[in-house]
Amino acid sequence: MALNLKTLGTRSASAAVFVIVLLSAVAYGYASCLLLFFLVALLGLNEYYRLSEKLNAAPYKLVGTAFGITLFAWFSLPALQIWLHMDLTGLGRALAGALLLCPFVFLLIALFSDHPSNLWNILHSLLGLLYVVLPFSLLIIIP
């Protein structure tokens, strides 16, 4: 992509606003960083699914978003245990079980779908989780 001078000012201004929001979240505390990364992960996952539709895929958005929320919650659980002073071990086990079921749920949905390229759709749905949600989830566990 070539440098477009017409949109350079708009991109620079939006980047400056995001940096200010990020620094404010870091200065305010852990909960604000958790919320900011959660929102950015969900917005990024939605954008990824919209871009994959332009590649003639039909990702399973609702199920993918649900598993994205589950993945983010599972990675943020240890920090939430410390922050809330509660034992969330049972919730962690339930979230881990749900994450283990993720590929099977996608396969089950594809089995009853009448779209011609189900494997392509499953791959786009799962890669959205790995490409967008997982990095933001891993940012949460950095001390």
Side-chain angles (χ1 to χ4, degrees):
M1 187 168 103
L3 180 63
N4 188 354
L5 294 177
K6 293 179 182 178
T7 61
L8 182 64
T10 306
R11 290 175 190 259
S12 299
S14 62
V17 168
F18 183 72
V19 167
I20 291 170
V21 168
L22 180 64
L23 291 177
S24 300
V26 168
Y28 190 69
Y30 181 78
S32 61
C33 283
L34 184 77
L35 182 64
L36 177 68
F37 289 152
F38 178 70
L39 290 175
V40 170
L42 286 183
L43 290 173
L45 185 63
N46 184 33
E47 183 68 21
Y48 177 84
Y49 285 156
R50 285 186 342 147
L51 288 173
S52 64
E53 285 177 344
K54 292 184 179 182
L55 295 173
N56 296 328
Y60 307 116
K61 293 181 187 180
L62 185 63
V63 178
T65 303
F67 280 119
I69 292 169
T70 306
L71 181 68
F72 195 89
W74 187 65
F75 272 103
S76 61
L77 232 106
L80 286 175
Q81 284 182 343
I82 295 169
W83 188 48
L84 297 175
H85 304 291
M86 294 175 64
D87 184 28
L88 302 174
T89 309
L91 179 62
R93 289 182 183 149
L95 291 174
L99 288 174
L100 287 174
L101 290 176
C102 179
F104 300 111
V105 170
F106 281 125
L107 286 172
L108 188 66
I109 291 171
L111 182 66
F112 294 109
S113 175
D114 53 350
H115 198 273
S117 57
N118 286 327
L119 182 61
W120 186 248
N121 300 336
I122 292 172
L123 288 176
H124 274 276
S125 301
L126 286 174
L127 286 176
L129 297 174
L130 294 176
Y131 183 65
V132 179
V133 178
L134 185 64
F136 284 107
S137 301
L138 291 174
L139 281 174
I140 291 300
I141 61 175
I142 295 176

